[in-house]
Amino acid sequence: LLGLVTAPSLARAQLGTESVGMNTHVPSDDVLDACVDLGVRWVRVDANWRDIHRGPGDFDFGEMERVARAAQMRGLRVYVTLAYTPDWVPRVSRARSDTYGGNDEPLGSSEWVAFVDAIVRRLRPLGVTHFGLWNEANLDGFWEEAAGLDAWIDKIVLPGAEAVRAACADCRVLGPELANVGESDVALDAILSR
């Protein structure tokens, strides 16, 4: 029993206080409590553009504010991933092999920039300073393959990073959040070269 009690605290001491995180999507209070119990210090949270930005100027930040406050109360740091095109946003016209619109390439960046600006300004006062721009854009299910990574960089990453920095001088833009499958190293090299 002594080994079970001391092993987690020794592991935490060796890793440091900021080095363990968990992808929680949109966590309940019970999940956040479990993160604390496990010694997790960071939670990665999904802030889905398609769920939050319901139309031009129409945002519902309620769930993200709840998560940010609940995490802060527990001493957890929050890394928010922003992603997925809402159905109302105009898209590049092309034949698509799926019916999921969240992975579609938007026609322009203005709606995306409005969302990024609004959510960063809303979450920064709640202690959130770390933002990722899209999830696993190297997978067709998350960013349509036909659009290509250059379109993702041009329409999402570059304007999104600029919007984060304009809204919050001390915020960080993290990523790319790639799936570690297939040719992920080729995608990473291409992205970093841009």
Side-chain angles (χ1 to χ4, degrees), residues 1 12 24 30 36 50-51 76 106 118 125 132 146 157 166 189:
L1 182 61
R12 271 187 235 122
T24 60
D30 289 343
V36 171
R50 65 184 295 105
D51 297 331
L76 296 168
V157 176
D189 288 344

Side-chain angles (χ1 to χ4, degrees), residues 36-109:
V36 171
D37 290 345
L38 290 168
V40 169
R41 299 298 298 149
W42 283 87
V43 290
R44 180 177 178 261
V45 176
D46 299 339
N48 295 332
W49 181 23
R50 65 184 295 105
D51 297 331
I52 296 168
H53 198 176
R54 298 178 175 185
D58 182 9
F59 301 95
D60 181 359
F61 298 112
E63 193 64 6
M64 286 300 100
E65 289 173 330
R66 179 199 62 80
V67 169
R69 285 187 182 104
Q72 186 177 47
M73 285 177 23
R74 290 164 173 80
L76 296 168
R77 304 280 313 267
V78 178
Y79 169 17
V80 173
T81 296
L82 310 173
Y84 311 128
T85 310
D87 292 335
W88 63 270
V89 170
R91 293 153 162 64
V92 170
S93 178
R94 68 168 54 94
R96 292 185 164 79
S97 61
D98 64 17
T99 59
Y100 174 62
N103 65 347
D104 290 353
E105 175 188 0
L107 190 58
S109 297

Side-chain angles (χ1 to χ4, degrees), residues 126-194:
L126 301 176
V128 178
T129 57
H130 291 69
F131 296 89
L133 304 175
W134 221 267
N135 175 57
E136 299 179 340
N138 60 322
L139 296 181
D140 191 45
F142 297 102
W143 178 259
E144 61 181 321
E145 187 175 354
L149 290 177
D150 282 333
W152 171 69
I153 293 167
D154 292 337
K155 291 184 177 176
I156 301 299
V157 176
L158 296 176
E162 186 176 318
V164 169
R165 292 182 188 115
C168 174
D170 68 334
C171 286
R172 304 270 188 217
V173 179
L174 305 177
E177 299 176 47
L178 300 178
N180 191 20
V181 297
E183 302 282 326
S184 62
D185 57 334
V186 173
L188 180 60
D189 288 344
I191 292 163
L192 293 177
S193 72
R194 292 282 315 272

